[in-house]
Amino acid sequence: MREVFQKELHEVQERLHEMAADATRIMEHASKAFIRSDVTLADQALASADQMATKALALDELVIRILAKQSPVARDLRILVSALRISASLERMGALAGHVAQIARFRYPGSAIPESLRATFVEMGALDVELGRKTEALLKDPNVDLAKSIQAEDQRVDELHRSVFETVLGDDWKENAIFTVDVTLASRYHERFADHVVDISSKISYLSTGEWNDSI
């Protein structure tokens, strides 16, 4: 029975890793679509984002079956409860990346970004993709030090997010209302994507130490 349980736990871990890879790929495609006005990449990101909900539901059902059959305690219980919450964060990351792609899709063949903010979104997208890859690594091989290192990159995304708002609220901002709405929403989606990575890193640290730390 214990061997079956360990196999089931391994399957949960593998599915979480797969979802993290999906979310990262969606953001990578969405960011490029947003920056380049690439409708093909936008459509790919949107299709993949739609699939994330199905994968999250299937994973949640697996975890609930394991909880019902095995009645785990202590660390095993923490793993499964955390898996449910991590699954929700990963699904949301995919959805947020899909929202970025959707903006690019709506504005095609035009651009959703004025030239003055292009560099900001290039950096923000690259940071989100890197954070997604670190999430993949964490779910493949949990590491508290890597979980803690994510905080610095998230802080940079927050700084970029604030800079977008400062720009659109500044006296020098002369772009039309569509640009204002697009960049404000896209910035928020990028920022929330990174926030979910931080949330996942906190859960990974909790799995490793048994201690919850909101500052991670």
Side-chain angles (χ1 to χ4, degrees):
M1 181 67 73
R2 187 66 184 176
E3 183 179 349
V4 172
F5 181 50
Q6 290 303 317
K7 287 181 178 178
E8 290 174 330
L9 286 180
H10 181 70
E11 183 179 353
V12 169
Q13 181 184 24
E14 288 296 309
R15 290 200 194 185
L16 287 172
H17 180 263
E18 180 184 341
M19 287 180 65
D22 288 345
T24 303
R25 184 172 58 255
I26 295 166
M27 177 52 83
E28 185 171 21
H29 288 169
S31 176
K32 290 178 179 177
F34 187 70
I35 293 162
R36 303 175 186 174
S37 301
D38 188 322
V39 71
T40 300
L41 285 176
D43 285 342
Q44 290 176 6
L46 288 167
S48 296
D50 287 342
Q51 295 170 6
M52 287 285 288
T54 301
K55 289 187 176 182
L57 178 60
L59 175 57
D60 291 351
E61 289 175 346
L62 171 62
V63 171
I64 291 169
R65 285 199 304 271
I66 296 171
L67 287 168
K69 290 191 305 180
Q70 304 289 351
S71 300
V73 296
R75 187 174 186 276
D76 291 338
L77 180 59
R78 293 202 305 270
I79 289 173
L80 291 169
V81 172
S82 294
L84 288 170
R85 299 179 67 182
I86 290 171
S87 171
S89 286
L90 291 170
E91 180 185 2
R92 189 60 188 149
M93 286 165 63
L96 289 162
H99 294 336
V100 174
Q102 195 168 49
I103 294 173
R105 188 70 180 84
F106 284 160
R107 299 300 164 229
Y108 178 82
S111 174
I113 318 173
E115 197 58 38
S116 59
L117 285 173
R118 185 170 300 277
T120 298
F121 279 99
V122 168
E123 183 179 359
M124 198 180 296
L127 284 169
D128 273 358
V129 171
E130 179 60 26
L131 284 167
R133 289 175 179 152
K134 287 189 174 183
T135 305
E136 293 178 54
L138 276 175
L139 291 170
K140 192 72 174 177
D141 183 18
N143 181 297
V144 175
D145 291 335
L146 178 57
K148 291 180 179 178
S149 76
I150 285 173
Q151 181 68 21
E153 290 185 46
D154 173 65
Q155 288 176 347
R156 178 56 182 160
V157 175
D158 289 342
E159 290 171 4
L160 293 167
H161 177 54
R162 286 193 296 271
S163 77
V164 171
F165 273 77
E166 290 169 358
T167 297
V168 300
L169 293 174
D171 293 336
D172 294 334
W173 180 256
K174 306 300 182 185
E175 305 295 345
N176 61 41
I178 292 176
F179 268 141
T180 302
V181 172
D182 285 348
V183 300
T184 301
L185 287 175
S187 180
R188 177 60 172 165
Y189 298 148
H190 281 85
E191 186 261 346
R192 287 299 297 148
F193 183 98
D195 283 349
H196 280 287
V197 172
V198 173
D199 191 48
I200 291 171
S201 74
S202 295
K203 293 178 176 65
I204 296 298
S205 180
Y206 171 64
L207 289 177
S208 300
T209 65
E211 297 179 0
W212 185 260
N213 185 353
D214 287 325
S215 66
I216 288 182

